[in-house]
Amino acid sequence: MTGPSRGPALPQERRLVTEIPGPRSRELMARKQAAVAQGVGTVMPVFAARAGGGVLQDVDGNSFIDLGSGIAVTTVGNSAEAVVRRAAEQLERFTHTCAMVTPYEGYVEVCEELARLTPGDHEKRSVLLNSGAEAVENAVKIARAYTGRQAVVVFDHAYHGRTNLTMALTAKNMPYKHGFGPFAPEVYRVPVAYPFRWPTGPDNCAEEAAAQVIDQITKQVGADNVAAVVIEPILGEGGFIEPAKGFLPRVERFARDNGIVLVADEIQSGFCRTGQWFACEDEGVVPDLITTAKGIAGGLPLAAVTGRAEIMDAVHSGGLGGTYGGNPVACAAALGAIETMRELDLNARARRIEEVMKGRLTALREKFGVIGEVRGRGAMLAVELVRPGTKEPDPESTAAVARHCHRSGVLVLTTGTYGNVVRFLPPLVIGEDLLNEGLDVLAEAFAGLG
């Protein structure tokens, strides 16, 4: 007797057999509301049963085109063969020992891969953790230990997590920070080079934003007090903002000249998502520390801080770690995910997705005035929606577009400080026909705005 098709064996098609959500999903949602904290939100009110390749199938048998990848997590697709194989083999050996008690080879192998893959040819070390927020928090700890300083500089529109410190680092109040203060001190926010919204225009953005950053740090914080500058090379929850060219290198030089640790938060943008292993490579930026999570392990919880050996080793023995950090099954999955990325050349796949999607999205922008900008790199792309003829954010149309896509069998995500950005994070293994079909539905959604 054969079981249901799994993972990549799922038919790669969009197919709706019930209303959305269907009866089984509605039943499960009622159970969720009775058992799960109300603060745990839901983007799409359907319950997953299987997923693989570029599709997600719900408990009612509906099959959706996945343009979200679990928020950039299932980069190699759900249930990728090498991820499942390596994780299953590890499950049969042991599930946990705690790497701080009796270590295991998988932890070391992942750290060796991170040393090879992350930018820069300097000697590196890594620590493995559970989540992106935990990685960012540990990066700050490490920077403070190394520099003996306390201040941390972050940027407008930044998102770095939901712990107390990372909420302080995050810019957006609702839903991430509202009602949860007080927050950790010694955090200072400066402008980011946001070309679409820069007051004097995109051509001036990089130079003027960098000058403002340097001026504010120098005058308001004091460069000698700053332990770390933490930045996303492409800002994620802030709206997939790609800083104007030249801005990141200027920030990097300022940090180097002042003994400040530059931390690149690549949690959403890393591991082939932008057509390179890491987004900061686009302008040759080599961070001192780099934080990773999401796409690293094919859907299992794993995160890391990787950086210069002298910085990472500044922390006293026992100062880094955690009971579940670098879980052996998650490490095995990460090695399977990296194997898949290499074997399928997922950087090239991401660049091809950009070629297909940017052409289609640009055509939509020319047709629909509600689309203010198309932006992003690789398979990390977005459209920002505005009131036609202005730059006034239009979150209502953004929500309407997402609802149409969801009802029509295409999973998309929204984001942005103003709630007016539709973002696209398809699995890098998605078929081109499926990708184009998803874009056809998106076009219908814009046409239906009226």
Side-chain angles (χ1 to χ4, degrees):
M1 183 175 177
T2 59
S5 57
R6 295 178 298 161
L10 278 175
Q12 296 296 292
E13 62 181 8
R14 176 173 64 110
R15 185 168 61 94
L16 300 182
V17 296
T18 72
E19 71 277 25
I20 304 301
R24 179 68 177 135
S25 280
R26 292 197 301 271
E27 177 187 325
L28 286 169
M29 185 59 72
R31 289 171 55 190
K32 174 183 181 291
Q33 290 169 346
V36 179
Q38 295 302 300
V40 181
T42 300
V43 170
M44 199 170 171
V46 300
F47 281 73
R50 286 170 285 278
V55 300
L56 185 152
Q57 190 177 97
D58 74 5
V59 291
D60 291 292
N62 299 297
S63 183
F64 300 85
I65 298 174
D66 182 7
L67 299 184
S69 298
I71 317 183
V73 169
T74 54
T75 297
V76 297
N78 259 292
S79 305
E81 185 279 329
V83 172
V84 173
R85 169 172 44 83
R86 285 181 180 249
E89 289 170 356
Q90 180 57 50
L91 275 166
E92 291 183 350
R93 289 193 291 268
F94 59 92
T95 60
H96 177 72
T97 64
C98 184
M100 300 182 300
V101 177
T102 53
Y104 33 86
E105 186 176 5
Y107 191 115
V108 177
E109 285 185 281
V110 171
C111 294
E112 290 170 339
E113 286 284 19
L114 287 166
R116 279 190 284 267
L117 294 172
T118 52
D121 56 6
H122 50 273
E123 187 178 359
K124 300 170 191 170
R125 304 277 190 273
S126 291
V127 57
L128 302 185
L129 304 151
N130 301 292
S131 70
E134 194 178 354
V136 173
E137 189 137 342
N138 274 272
V140 171
K141 285 167 51 178
I142 293 162
R144 284 173 167 166
Y146 176 70
T147 61
R149 306 170 180 178
Q150 294 185 348
V152 181
V153 172
V154 290
F155 292 82
D156 285 341
H157 308 287
Y159 176 84
H160 297 291
R162 295 176 184 260
T163 61
N164 186 267
L165 174 58
T166 56
M167 281 191 294
L169 304 180
T170 291
K172 188 175 181 179
N173 176 51
M174 183 64 81
Y176 306 118
K177 302 168 69 169
H178 187 73
F180 298 143
F183 302 114
E186 286 301 309
V187 173
Y188 301 87
R189 195 167 310 283
V190 294
V192 74
Y194 187 168
F196 181 66
R197 295 195 173 275
W198 195 253
T200 62
D203 292 343
N204 303 317
C205 184
E207 184 177 342
E208 291 180 2
Q212 286 188 27
V213 167
I214 292 167
D215 184 67
Q216 286 185 218
I217 293 174
T218 303
K219 291 179 178 175
Q220 297 179 23
V221 188
D224 290 345
N225 296 318
V226 179
V229 170
V230 184
I231 189 166
E232 302 157 272
I234 297 179
L235 283 72
E237 305 303 308
F240 280 30
I241 301 163
E242 186 176 4
K245 298 297 183 189
F247 177 75
L248 287 173
R250 285 283 303 278
V251 171
E252 179 188 27
R253 282 198 304 275
F254 176 76
R256 293 268 186 277
D257 291 345
N258 290 276
I260 299 168
V261 175
L262 179 65
V263 181
D265 179 342
E266 292 260 12
I267 288 159
Q268 192 161 170
S269 59
F271 288 100
C272 305
R273 176 54 58 183
T274 65
Q276 296 166 296
W277 282 99
F278 298 96
C280 59
E281 296 178 77
D282 183 65
E283 293 187 89
V285 171
V286 178
D288 298 307
L289 302 178
I290 185 167
T291 61
T292 52
K294 290 190 181 289
I296 191 175
L300 274 73
L302 187 69
V305 183
T306 302
R308 297 181 185 276
E310 66 272 19
I311 298 176
M312 295 293 295
D313 288 345
V315 178
H316 54 274
S317 179
L320 300 176
T323 301
Y324 294 105
N327 170 270
V329 181
C331 285
L335 295 169
I338 292 168
E339 174 188 329
T340 304
M341 291 171 195
R342 283 199 180 103
E343 287 190 355
L344 299 182
D345 192 1
L346 292 191
N347 280 314
R349 292 274 192 104
R351 292 191 293 271
R352 175 57 184 163
I353 288 171
E354 177 183 355
E355 183 181 358
V356 171
M357 290 196 70
K358 268 203 172 167
R360 296 285 307 271
L361 295 174
T362 300
L364 290 177
R365 181 180 180 274
E366 292 169 356
K367 187 174 182 181
F368 300 106
V370 72
I371 300 177
E373 185 177 46
V374 174
R375 59 177 178 253
R377 294 204 306 272
M380 186 175 182
L381 300 169
V383 291
E384 179 164 355
L385 275 60
V386 296
R387 314 286 179 201
T390 76
K391 290 190 178 181
E392 182 186 349
D394 189 351
E396 294 80 15
S397 291
T398 305
V401 166
R403 283 194 302 270
H404 178 96
C405 289
H406 296 167
R407 287 195 303 265
S408 303
V410 178
L411 194 160
V412 299
L413 304 172
T414 60
T415 191
T417 300
Y418 311 108
N420 68 323
V421 176
V422 182
R423 59 176 160 172
F424 307 99
L425 293 159
L428 302 187
V429 297
I430 192 170
E432 217 165 288
D433 55 343
L434 210 57
L435 184 63
N436 274 304
E437 186 177 349
L439 292 168
D440 289 342
V441 171
L442 182 71
E444 293 170 3
F446 280 107
L449 289 177

